[in-house]
Amino acid sequence: SAVATDIITRRAGKVIGIDSADKFFETLARLVSGQADAKKQNPRSIELMVTSTKRYLAKPEFRIQLDELIGDEARKLDRLLRTPDFALTGTFSKELFAQRVAHFESATEPLVRITGVLGRWGTGAELRSITDLLAQFGLRESAGGLNILINLRAYPAVLILYGYGLGLLAARRYADLFKLFSFPLVTERDSTTTVVGHLFLGTWAGG
């Protein structure tokens, strides 16, 4: 109508062609629901953390702020992993597995992005913080439940390992990459293995 055309013009809107209103809104509802189900993080918040990480790395006097940023995100992730979204019980299905993987990736994204920056522009002093994260999220206490969900619990550590490792590769920091891969982790029954022996995709139990 003329009124609708006038509103579109005044608001600098765009006309979207659709087959039917019912189909359009059903698709829109499905996309919004999928976004909510995946528990996606606010991209603006993540970009702000990435920017802060770069700024803190640029000056040694911001070392404490950088440690606090990493610590805050680690505590936030730890709390998330204790919520019902990450319960170890239930009836297994492909849908449950895909949903759980998506939840892990969304929850871990801030730390992965931060550690990627540390790998790309760090100096090596950050390695201890990285290995602490790998131990915290890669070595989980014994618990009952579905085996596949139990094994998935270390997925955040796998993502952090690859995020930091890819940053190291981009910076050609091969010596630090070797230190990362060979760092010892104490696993179940006090046995010791390397980071790469515990969390690399070919050796990780959840792989």
Side-chain angles (χ1 to χ4, degrees):
S1 67
V3 174
T5 302
D6 182 60
I7 293 174
I8 291 171
T9 302
R10 289 175 180 274
R11 297 292 183 180
K14 294 183 179 180
V15 178
I16 301 175
I18 59 175
D19 295 331
S20 70
D22 289 343
K23 185 175 180 180
F24 171 77
F25 285 111
E26 285 174 4
T27 301
L28 180 62
R30 186 170 64 252
L31 291 173
V32 172
S33 178
Q35 180 82 357
D37 288 344
K39 311 290 183 181
K40 288 291 185 182
Q41 301 276 350
N42 185 335
R44 291 186 178 180
S45 298
I46 294 176
E47 291 303 327
L48 179 60
M49 280 186 287
V50 169
T51 300
S52 298
T53 303
K54 292 177 181 178
R55 186 171 69 251
Y56 295 155
L57 271 176
K59 295 184 179 181
E61 58 265 30
F62 288 152
R63 178 183 56 81
I64 294 176
Q65 288 89 335
L66 179 59
D67 286 346
E68 289 177 344
L69 175 63
I70 297 171
D72 287 345
E73 287 307 310
R75 285 187 288 274
K76 187 184 301 182
L77 176 59
D78 187 65
R79 288 195 298 270
L80 278 174
L81 297 182
R82 298 177 188 276
T83 64
D85 285 334
F86 298 94
L88 301 178
T89 56
T91 302
F92 177 77
S93 67
K94 292 181 179 179
E95 290 74 20
L96 172 63
F97 180 79
Q99 183 186 65
R100 186 59 54 87
V101 167
H103 285 177
F104 272 122
E105 291 174 351
S106 177
T108 314
E109 183 180 359
L111 269 180
V112 173
R113 294 284 301 277
I114 289 172
T115 54
V117 171
L118 295 176
R120 180 64 180 85
W121 286 286
T123 61
E126 74 283 347
L127 182 61
R128 186 72 223 188
S129 295
I130 300 297
T131 54
D132 284 347
L133 291 174
L134 297 180
Q136 179 179 357
F137 297 109
L139 306 173
R140 312 300 285 175
E141 67 276 5
S142 298
L146 292 175
N147 283 337
I148 196 164
L149 297 182
I150 293 172
N151 292 335
L152 269 180
R153 290 189 304 164
Y155 191 32
V158 173
L159 294 171
I160 291 168
L161 168 64
Y162 276 82
Y164 183 62
L166 288 172
L168 293 176
L169 282 174
R172 299 183 179 180
R173 295 172 55 191
Y174 303 125
D176 287 332
L177 185 65
F178 177 78
K179 291 178 183 178
L180 172 68
F181 283 171
S182 59
F183 188 86
L185 291 176
V186 179
T187 58
E188 293 181 357
R189 300 183 180 87
D190 294 328
S191 61
T192 302
T193 186
T194 60
V195 163
V196 71
H198 184 58
L199 296 173
F200 214 58
L201 284 180
T203 56
W204 170 49

